[in-house]
Amino acid sequence: GQQLNQSPQSMFIQEGEDVSMNCTSSSIFNTWLWYKQEPGEGPVLLIALYKAGELTSNGRLTAQFGITRKDSFLNISASIPSDVGIYFCAGQLSHSGYALNFGKGTSLLVTP
Amino acid sequence: SAVISQKPSRDICQRGTSLTIQCQVDSQVTMMFWYRQQPGQSLTLIATANQGSEATYESGFVIDKFPISRPNLTFSTLTVSNMSPEDSSIYLCSVAGGLDTEAFFGQGTRLTVV
């Protein structure tokens, strides 16, 4: 599969701070997805992006599909302790059906 | 989104044995996938489970080691054969379908091989 570069690898922040993480790829993706995974659980879909330049929000989360179709970012505003988890970006290549290529994840820790 | 149930949720197995993981979806879905997540790592696609035909495996994964069945549009199994400690991972079932390309995941099966 295609390699996605996700950064930062980890973040340790205080409650109330904003968070930003991003993914880049050498390939053009048809779709970008952002997932959150908590211990002992499967990844849960947060936001799906389908068009270059698309900006989508889900509560305190905002994600954008880069114009070049090779990158995406996820912002979390006013973080709270329950935001703790590992966030993964995933991209779908236009010719590979629905199978996803995942980034290595961003581990987020939020202190009260 | 579809509700995906995986069984077992976790297991500890002896090396050399095999384990079959089940994935049940509450609605018919076009695509089903199996992923592996090694400890502290990201998700890697093992194969696409094709209904009524042989699964499509990714590079580095073979049918003899990870046989997959998909008898209908709501069910699939993944078998991890002749296990070794290196197979200790979380195995995840994923589904997609409809007009959009979102993929949804089961809760995973945490496998430990001793």
Side-chain angles (χ1 to χ4, degrees):
Chain A
Q2 297 296 316
Q3 183 69 48
L4 297 188
N5 300 308
Q6 185 172 350
S7 63
Q9 183 176 353
S10 62
M11 302 183 74
F12 186 72
I13 63 171
Q14 284 194 319
E15 183 176 4
E17 291 184 12
D18 297 342
V19 172
S20 184
M21 59 192 78
N22 69 84
C23 269
T24 60
S25 170
S26 58
S27 300
I28 291 174
F29 281 114
N30 200 40
T31 303
W32 280 95
L33 305 172
W34 285 92
Y35 290 88
K36 178 187 178 186
Q37 186 176 30
E38 298 184 30
E41 301 292 328
V44 174
L45 181 64
L46 299 174
I47 291 180
L49 302 159
Y50 302 104
K51 298 179 183 178
E54 180 181 355
L55 184 70
T56 297
S57 294
N58 178 9
R60 294 179 294 106
L61 278 60
T62 301
Q64 185 159 31
F65 193 146
I67 290 291
T68 64
R69 294 169 62 190
K70 294 183 178 181
D71 63 294
S72 177
F73 72 73
L74 174 70
N75 289 341
I76 305 173
S77 62
S79 59
I80 58 178
S82 62
D83 290 333
V84 166
I86 302 177
Y87 292 78
F88 290 99
C89 64
Q92 180 215 342
L93 293 170
S94 59
H95 60 274
S96 69
Y98 294 97
L100 299 174
N101 298 275
F102 279 82
K104 293 185 179 296
T106 296
S107 177
L108 178 63
L109 293 176
V110 181
T111 58
Chain B
S1 62
V3 176
I4 305 161
S5 300
Q6 272 187 245
K7 291 181 181 180
S9 59
R10 60 177 61 231
D11 207 343
I12 300 174
C13 300
Q14 295 289 325
R15 69 174 66 202
T17 64
S18 298
L19 176 71
T20 295
I21 303 167
Q22 298 181 359
C23 178
Q24 179 73 54
V25 190
D26 69 342
S27 59
Q28 294 186 344
V29 292
T30 307
M31 310 290 286
M32 294 182 78
F33 305 91
W34 288 98
Y35 287 82
R36 180 175 73 182
Q37 186 175 26
Q38 295 177 300
Q41 301 297 314
S42 185
L43 285 77
T44 301
L45 181 64
I46 297 172
T48 303
N50 301 309
Q51 194 265 329
S53 64
E54 193 171 284
T56 305
Y57 289 85
E58 297 298 305
S59 176
F61 298 96
V62 295
I63 188 171
D64 289 347
K65 177 66 175 178
F66 298 102
I68 288 170
S69 78
R70 178 134 186 235
N72 55 52
L73 294 176
T74 64
F75 186 78
S76 178
T77 66
L78 168 75
T79 299
V80 186
S81 303
N82 188 25
M83 289 182 285
S84 67
E86 291 71 33
D87 294 320
S88 298
S89 292
I90 300 172
Y91 292 86
L92 295 142
C93 170
S94 171
V95 305
L99 298 177
D100 298 324
T101 58
E102 298 114 334
F104 300 98
F105 287 83
Q107 82 278 17
T109 296
R110 183 178 295 271
L111 171 63
T112 302
V113 183
V114 297

